[in-house]
């Protein structure tokens, strides 16, 4: 493609010095088919290239030109990305590694994992691009050696932190599909061969912590929610490659992430022990009245988890969850961001004030107990999970009961043998139950 520089004023007619933040504008010509491919569905590809290169991109479908505005380095990267996207339309992409680049990472993916990493129609790659703000595709490099195992190079473009996050995400998928490829028999992360210019700078690195099967499930959380929480609060990239927790970032970020993971795993069997929390620059303490603890945490800590999600923090109590003698408990709010901690503290104080206004009329938010706080066991129905054609289990009157779907209800809502009723009727009937009698069948 032909490229031509166009300045907005006479003072910008000369090319800026390398590394300068002076904005430039560059225009490239494309044909009609390339313009549609670069635009993508609803402009998604164009927005992705603009986000990764840090430029503003405008596509004129009538003049068949693409205008890039930004720094000289950003525009140069943007033009390269557009060229790679255009190559994908007609065939495989080939990338030269002779020139040293600071925005490029290549990771060798084994042949039996390529389809798993890509996903159906490339959906998995697109989700990783969206999560990390990178550009990812399989390509051939100029110095790539032919191998019999069918390895292909996954090319990742973007800033260093985003590339390392996407690379660890890929390694997690590869290790799941091909155990032993990324983690050695000694439980160590295998080294990755880097292309020219792809080096860790300014103390950037990766630390690993081994996990057992039980601690891995606990540290992962439902659909990876706990892992994402720790990563957001610590400001450190956290991915699980096999049974290794991998922390990527600068030294202080990695140390913070490992502390958060250790405290989380301590909560699984007891209470977390934080030495001198007042001396840490990533901790804010909020005094919570003992009478408001259950209201604040909610059923199984869900209300506290909601505060963590909303503020990108990591919160727990510093005391014994079974000790009810103290009038206050200290809620520890952890995050590398001061504004995130202040936001979480404001939410907690609002919840405490809300509980004081409601007084004894206030039920625990979502149920009571959990999240390192404990709480009284509820006597009524607290959970109900059902599947069509399978027994339904629920907790009531302090015991786990079983109830099949073949029930109908009397006026008090108590089930009794009879015709099969709908799932909706079962739920409504159990929720209307007055608490008398045994609901187990």
């Amino acid at each position: 493609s032909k490229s031509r520089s166009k300045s907005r004023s006479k003072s910008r007619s000369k090319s800026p010095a390398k590394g300068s933040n002076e904005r430039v504008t560059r225009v490239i010509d494309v044909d009609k088919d390339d313009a549609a491919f670069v635009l993508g569905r609803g402009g998604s590809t164009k927005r992705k290239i603009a986000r990764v290169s840090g430029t503003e991109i405008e596509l004129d479908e009538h003049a068949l030109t693409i205008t890039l505005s930004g720094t000289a380095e950003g525009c140069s990267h943007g033009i390269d990305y557009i060229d790679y996207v255009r190559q994908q339309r007609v065939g495989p992409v080939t990338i030269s590694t002779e020139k040293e680049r600071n925005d490029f990472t290549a990771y060798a993916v084994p042949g039996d994992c390529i389809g798993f990493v890509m996903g159906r129609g490339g959906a998995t790659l697109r989700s990783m691009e969206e999560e990390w703000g990178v550009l990812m595709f399989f390509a051939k490099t100029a110095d790539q050696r032919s191998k019999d195992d069918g390895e292909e190079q996954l090319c990742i473009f973007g800033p260093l932190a985003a590339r390392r996050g996407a690379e660890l995400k890929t390694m997690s998928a590869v290790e799941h599909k091909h155990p032993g490829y990324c983690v050695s028999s000694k439980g160590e992360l295998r080294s990755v061969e880097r292309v020219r210019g792809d080096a860790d700078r300014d103390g950037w690195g990766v630390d690993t912590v081994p996990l057992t099967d039980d601690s891995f499930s606990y540290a992962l959380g439902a659909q990876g929610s706990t892992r994402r929480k720790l990563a957001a609060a610590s400001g450190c990239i956290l991915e699980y490659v096999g049974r290794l927790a991998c922390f990527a970032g600068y030294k202080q970020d990695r140390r913070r992430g490992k502390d958060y993971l250790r405290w989380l795993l301590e909560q699984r069997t007891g209470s977390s022990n934080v030495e001198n929390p007042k001396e840490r620059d990533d901790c804010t303490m909020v005094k919570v009245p003992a009478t408001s603890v259950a209201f604040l945490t909610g059923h199984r800590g869900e209300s506290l988890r909601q505060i963590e999600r909303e503020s990108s923090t990591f919160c727990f109590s510093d005391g014994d969850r079974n000790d009810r003698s103290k009038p206050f408990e200290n809620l520890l709010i952890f995050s590398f961001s001061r504004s995130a901690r202040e936001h979480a503290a404001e939410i907690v104080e609002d919840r405490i004030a809300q509980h004081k206004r409601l007084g004894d009329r206030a039920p625990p938010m979502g149920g009571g107990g959990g999240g390192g706080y404990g709480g009284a066991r509820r006597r009524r129905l607290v959970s109900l999970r059902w599947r069509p054609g399978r027994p339904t289990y629920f907790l009531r009157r302090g015991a786990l009961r079983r109830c099949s779907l073949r029930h109908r209800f009397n006026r008090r809502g108590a089930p009794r043998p009879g015709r099969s009723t709908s799932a909706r009727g079962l739920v409504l009937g159990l929720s209307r139950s007055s608490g008398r009698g045994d609901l187990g069948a």
Side-chain angles (χ1 to χ4, degrees):
S1 62
K2 297 180 181 180
S3 65
R4 57 182 185 272
S5 298
K6 181 175 70 176
S7 61
R8 295 185 178 181
S9 62
K10 294 182 179 180
S11 62
R12 300 184 180 180
S13 60
K14 296 181 180 181
S15 299
K18 185 178 180 180
S20 173
N21 292 326
E22 185 178 356
R23 294 183 65 84
V24 298
T25 301
R26 292 185 180 175
V27 180
I28 60 175
D29 298 321
V30 293
D31 57 34
K32 186 175 181 180
D33 293 334
D34 285 340
F37 200 71
V38 171
L39 181 63
R41 180 177 298 179
S44 59
T45 305
K46 179 178 73 71
R47 289 193 299 270
K48 177 172 59 180
I49 295 174
R51 182 179 67 250
V52 177
S53 62
T55 60
E56 297 178 4
I57 299 179
E58 295 294 336
L59 191 151
D60 191 334
E61 298 184 63
H62 299 286
L64 295 179
T65 60
I66 299 178
T67 304
L68 300 92
S69 301
T71 63
E73 183 180 48
C75 290
S76 177
H77 289 165
I79 292 174
D80 289 341
Y81 302 158
I82 292 174
D83 184 54
Y84 299 148
V85 171
R86 295 169 67 183
Q87 290 184 47
Q88 294 180 50
R89 187 179 68 85
V90 295
V93 182
T94 301
I95 298 177
S96 174
T97 56
E98 296 179 357
K99 179 183 176 182
E100 183 175 311
R101 303 184 63 112
N102 62 358
D103 67 329
F104 175 43
T105 293
Y107 182 75
V109 178
D112 59 343
C113 299
I114 294 175
F116 185 72
V117 171
M118 289 189 64
R120 180 176 296 180
T124 304
L125 275 185
R126 302 291 83 79
S127 66
M128 284 192 284
E129 287 180 333
E130 184 67 25
E131 178 180 357
W132 293 105
V134 293
L135 181 66
M136 304 175 68
F137 52 85
F138 284 95
K140 296 181 179 179
T141 57
D143 58 349
Q144 183 177 353
R145 300 175 183 177
S146 59
K147 298 183 180 181
D148 297 333
D149 55 6
E151 284 186 353
E152 289 195 22
Q153 295 292 329
L154 178 61
C155 300
I156 308 173
F157 292 90
L160 175 63
R163 298 200 314 271
R164 292 294 182 263
E167 183 182 45
L168 284 174
K169 194 79 166 182
T170 303
M171 294 172 67
S172 177
V174 170
E175 183 66 19
H176 177 76
K177 182 71 174 178
H178 191 147
Y181 185 84
C182 303
V183 180
S184 67
S185 58
K186 297 180 179 180
E188 299 176 350
L189 195 67
R190 299 184 187 274
S191 60
V192 178
E193 185 178 353
R194 301 292 181 193
V195 297
R196 187 182 305 174
D198 183 24
D200 295 332
R201 299 178 177 87
D202 303 325
W204 184 278
V206 178
D207 293 340
T208 60
V209 174
L211 300 172
T212 63
D213 290 342
D214 292 338
S215 61
F216 170 78
S217 300
Y218 188 77
L220 181 63
Q223 300 180 350
S225 58
T226 304
R227 177 192 62 81
R228 290 192 297 270
K229 174 183 68 177
L230 296 181
S234 64
C236 176
I237 297 172
L238 174 58
E239 290 291 342
Y240 300 147
V241 181
R243 291 300 183 265
L244 278 182
C246 300
F247 300 86
Y250 297 106
K251 187 175 181 179
Q252 65 273 19
D253 299 328
R254 301 196 304 269
R255 185 188 301 114
R256 192 186 302 117
K258 289 187 290 185
D259 287 343
Y260 293 1
L261 178 62
R262 184 179 74 254
W263 296 333
L264 176 77
L265 296 180
E266 288 176 352
Q267 295 179 28
R268 178 171 165 264
T269 55
S271 59
S272 302
N273 182 22
V274 181
E275 296 182 1
N276 302 321
K278 294 181 179 180
E279 298 180 2
R280 296 184 62 101
D281 59 0
D282 63 338
C283 179
T284 297
M285 297 179 61
V286 178
K287 285 187 175 296
V288 180
T291 55
S292 300
V293 167
F295 180 83
L296 178 65
T297 56
H299 173 54
R300 302 183 67 179
E302 180 56 34
S303 180
L304 196 60
R305 301 292 85 80
Q306 182 180 358
I307 296 175
E308 290 177 331
R309 290 190 295 268
E310 184 176 345
S311 58
S312 298
T313 57
F314 177 40
C315 308
F316 58 89
S317 169
D318 68 342
D320 185 0
R321 67 182 67 182
N322 297 319
D323 185 5
R324 306 295 179 80
S325 61
K326 297 184 298 184
F328 289 92
E329 288 192 16
N330 291 324
L331 178 65
L332 305 183
I333 303 174
F334 289 93
S335 175
F336 76 100
S337 171
R338 181 178 178 181
S339 60
R341 299 196 307 270
E342 291 176 347
H343 181 44
E346 290 177 358
I347 298 176
V348 170
E349 291 172 353
D350 289 344
R351 297 282 175 85
I352 295 174
Q354 180 184 3
H355 183 246
K356 289 181 179 179
R357 290 194 302 269
L358 295 175
D360 296 336
R361 297 178 292 113
M365 299 194 68
Y373 283 103
R377 177 179 293 179
R378 300 182 67 191
R379 291 298 181 181
R380 290 180 178 271
L381 179 70
V382 295
S383 64
L384 173 65
R385 296 180 181 179
W386 62 271
R387 293 181 180 179
R390 296 187 182 183
T392 298
Y393 294 90
F394 60 93
L395 185 64
R396 190 172 186 279
R397 302 178 69 86
L400 187 66
R401 309 288 184 178
R402 172 180 170 179
C403 183
S404 68
L405 293 182
R406 297 188 61 82
H407 285 288
R408 61 188 180 90
F409 302 91
N410 58 22
R411 293 181 180 179
R412 293 184 177 181
R416 59 189 180 188
R419 297 175 300 175
S420 62
T421 183
S422 65
R424 179 176 180 272
L426 175 65
V427 174
L428 292 178
L430 290 179
S431 64
R432 290 195 303 263
S433 176
S434 61
R436 300 178 181 177
D438 187 3
L439 296 186

